Amino acid sequence: MPGQRRRREREAARRRARERREGEGRWAVLFETDDPEVFRAYRNGEEVARLADDDLRIDVLCGRGENPTWYRISGLVPHADG
């Protein structure tokens, strides 16, 4: 298919860049809740808007039975030198 090689190479380059950046830092939990409305409000707020999309990770931890679904927002934080 036309352009497929370029797309794969572009995705591989993005993946390598992300792995390199993750090796230079760690994921820190910024926010965690089991209320989807509160999660949505926080996600659309100013604190999350300041972060670059590549420095943001959103996890949805699916609940089963009695356990509710949890929503977590993490940010990539550089390692402290020393």
Side-chain angles (χ1 to χ4, degrees):
M1 296 182 75
Q4 187 172 7
R5 177 187 295 169
R6 282 183 295 220
R7 180 181 53 83
R8 277 194 308 237
E9 290 171 352
R10 189 172 49 241
E11 289 173 358
R14 283 185 190 150
R15 189 172 39 255
R16 284 190 305 269
R18 184 175 184 106
E19 289 171 357
R20 184 178 60 249
R21 287 184 37 253
E22 286 178 354
E24 297 170 354
R26 63 178 177 81
W27 290 106
V29 175
L30 303 175
F31 182 77
E32 195 171 43
T33 186
D34 64 346
D35 186 355
E37 295 299 321
V38 174
F39 168 73
R40 229 174 271 120
Y42 186 85
R43 183 188 65 197
N44 295 330
E46 289 182 21
E47 188 171 339
V48 174
R50 289 186 322 210
L51 295 171
D53 288 342
D54 290 341
D55 293 342
L56 189 65
R57 185 175 78 188
I58 297 176
D59 299 315
V60 178
L61 308 169
C62 297
R64 302 265 189 225
E66 296 178 13
N67 299 327
T69 298
W70 276 86
Y71 304 91
R72 181 184 297 160
I73 297 178
S74 302
L76 190 61
V77 178
H79 288 298
D81 293 318

